[in-house]
Amino acid sequence: MSNILEVKDLKITFDTYAGKVQAIRGVSFDLKKGETLAIVGESGSGKSVTTRSIMQLLSQNANIEEGQILFDGQDLVKTSEKEMQNIRGKKIAMIFQDPMTSLNPTMTIEKQIAEPLRLHQNMNKQQAAERALELLKLVGLPDAEKRMKQYPHQFSGGQRQRVVIAIALACDPDILIADEPTTALDVTIQAQILELMKELQHKVNTSIIFITHDLGVVANVADRVAVMYAGKFVEVGTVDEVFYNPQHPYTWGLLASMPTLETNGSLYAIPGTPPDLLDPPKGDAFAPRNEYRMKIDTEHQPPMFKVSDTHYAATWLLHKDAPAINPPAEIMARQKVYKEKYAALHTEGGAK
Ligand SMILES: Nc1ncnc2c1ncn2[C@@H]1O[C@H](COP(=O)(O)OP(=O)(O)OP(=O)(O)O)[C@@H](O)[C@H]1O
Ligand SMILES: [Mg+2]
């Protein structure tokens, strides 16, 4: 599969009154055509900044210090604002956490979907209206003919997020970025929106970057997972690799803090707090919280060690001279249960 996006050694800082915040400290990844990549990490780890930089929607005080963002070979870092306006919404679309802020309260839903189609796709009024209806049906909005004449306040939170997804898909984008699209919704609606995202992945040939702080939702939605910590990717792999053969102690912590399928409560919280990005530590940023840390962790940042062709992790534990340390047995036992449950869901649900 070819890559639609290649991010290479991206470094982003923010100027603040207290100094330079080193928000993104060397991030590299690629996104293949048609795949869903989930980016997971704690609050402040840099998920939103990474994806906003792809859209070139960073705030005024942001600096892209280094790196390339190659979209279909074109470096978006060097692309003019005028040209970005042609890419944004049309080729790369983004949906945000709070669906209300993305909708215009004074315009009917029909108009909000049809407008970009007329603008970007040169559709006439009739064609745009037909496509709007088709999109609302695609995202599973009941009574679409009637509802497209209504305004955002007449919709529930989950319905609004469906509308936002329809707008994002309107121009058939190559990449859809979903930044925590379900966190503002209640749990049942969250599950429905996630199910919708999964269905859409099969129906439209869009690559998806799905941001979440909840590893639990990833297994069902993504092909690959990138675990982010303090402005870096610390582990990247297929869903199976990250869930069933995790290598980074931070990933172990995230897996241990995942709510089980039986309970809604989380079992564990990773002790400590993320580092101050105004003055990140010299060595591995996770070292102070890492119960398996070695001397080298406090001195040198680990490179990405290769585990398989698709699996990489930045931990000195993978160095050939490091002691062999396995993830805590209770986490792996839970992952095994998780896997079996998912296998059961897959067979029961057929192609789902
Ligand atoms: N405009 C800004 N000015 C200064 N610092 C910023 C700015 N925007 C983001 N940051 C900093 O960049 C870092 C990454 O922020 P980002 O919003 O990407 O985190 P996130 O992983 O999306 O977190 P969350 O899960 O809370 O959404 C944080 O340390 C944040 O404080
Ligand atoms: Mg965010």
Side-chain angles (χ1 to χ4, degrees):
M1 257 195 295
S2 58
N3 292 333
I4 184 76
L5 186 76
E6 288 175 20
V7 175
K8 293 186 175 167
D9 203 25
L10 187 66
K11 291 182 183 155
I12 300 173
T13 61
F14 289 97
D15 297 322
T16 68
Y17 70 93
K20 256 187 196 306
V21 176
Q22 297 181 38
I24 305 300
R25 304 183 308 131
V27 160
S28 302
F29 66 95
D30 51 39
L31 182 69
K32 290 171 189 52
K33 286 201 172 133
E35 83 164 336
T36 299
L37 171 73
I39 303 181
V40 190
E42 277 168 305
S43 185
S45 56
K47 306 180 296 291
S48 296
V49 172
T50 302
T51 45
R52 278 177 174 274
S53 72
I54 298 169
M55 294 288 271
Q56 293 293 306
L57 283 177
L58 293 168
S59 57
Q60 282 287 327
N61 62 333
N63 317 293
I64 298 188
E65 304 275 357
E66 262 183 71
Q68 290 178 308
I69 300 172
L70 300 174
F71 168 64
D72 226 354
Q74 176 182 4
D75 190 353
L76 299 183
V77 174
K78 298 203 171 86
T79 299
S80 69
E81 175 55 29
K82 191 157 173 264
E83 227 177 310
M84 276 313 297
Q85 286 171 6
N86 261 325
I87 292 175
R88 250 183 247 130
K90 188 175 171 187
K91 293 182 174 169
I92 308 178
M94 193 155 178
I95 49 181
F96 297 94
Q97 184 170 331
D98 179 4
M100 206 51 195
T101 56
S102 332
L103 294 172
N104 184 336
T106 67
M107 256 195 221
T108 65
I109 297 303
E110 176 179 11
K111 193 145 190 233
Q112 297 192 52
I113 304 178
E115 200 132 286
L117 290 171
R118 300 192 61 185
L119 195 74
H120 288 308
Q121 314 279 71
N122 293 323
M123 285 188 185
N124 66 31
K125 207 170 165 190
Q126 174 71 21
Q127 289 167 324
E130 277 166 19
R131 176 84 176 128
L133 183 61
E134 190 184 303
L135 284 158
L136 288 173
K137 286 182 176 164
L138 179 75
V139 298
L141 191 78
D143 241 349
E145 282 97 342
K146 189 175 119 212
R147 305 236 42 201
M148 63 194 250
K149 307 288 179 201
Q150 298 180 335
Y151 292 85
H153 72 267
Q154 293 168 287
F155 289 71
S156 71
Q159 290 169 340
R160 277 182 211 139
Q161 199 58 303
R162 284 177 195 266
V163 170
V164 170
I165 294 171
I167 294 173
L169 292 175
C171 295
D172 213 354
D174 295 317
I175 303 175
L176 176 66
I177 299 172
D179 192 348
E180 309 242 18
T182 62
T183 29
L185 306 170
D186 74 47
V187 180
T188 358
I189 309 295
Q190 275 188 16
Q192 290 169 8
I193 297 290
L194 291 172
E195 192 55 38
L196 169 67
M197 300 275 307
K198 215 175 66 180
E199 270 174 43
L200 290 175
Q201 197 199 357
H202 296 295
K203 288 187 192 158
V204 296
N205 192 29
T206 301
S207 308
I208 300 176
I209 300 180
F210 190 94
I211 297 184
T212 173
H213 58 267
D214 179 0
L215 202 49
V217 308
V218 165
N220 220 7
V221 174
D223 301 306
R224 282 195 305 140
V225 187
V227 179
M228 194 161 196
Y229 187 78
K232 286 188 165 192
F233 280 10
V234 296
E235 183 155 6
V236 184
T238 63
V239 167
D240 275 4
E241 284 168 334
V242 172
F243 272 73
Y244 308 120
N245 186 26
Q247 299 294 321
H248 199 288
Y250 179 63
T251 312
W252 300 348
L254 284 183
L255 288 168
S257 52
M258 236 169 71
T260 58
L261 291 176
E262 290 78 21
T263 63
N264 258 330
S266 127
L267 298 175
Y268 171 84
I270 302 168
T273 50
D276 179 4
L277 294 175
L278 278 168
D279 184 22
K282 183 166 127 225
D284 182 353
F286 188 61
R289 303 172 77 181
N290 184 0
E291 59 178 300
Y292 308 97
R293 75 176 162 267
M294 300 173 287
K295 190 158 175 280
I296 192 170
D297 284 301
T298 57
E299 291 165 355
H300 297 284
Q301 298 187 22
M304 274 286 195
F305 288 97
K306 183 173 173 173
V307 183
S308 79
D309 281 345
T310 47
H311 190 189
Y312 292 81
T315 166
W316 286 117
L317 290 177
L318 288 172
H319 190 275
K320 63 179 177 25
D321 296 333
I325 288 176
N326 293 313
E330 67 272 18
I331 298 178
M332 295 322 289
R334 280 185 53 205
Q335 294 318 307
K336 192 166 168 284
V337 173
Y338 212 75
K339 185 167 196 172
E340 282 159 6
K341 295 237 163 155
Y342 266 110
L345 285 178
H346 278 274
T347 34
E348 280 164 25
K352 273 195 179 169

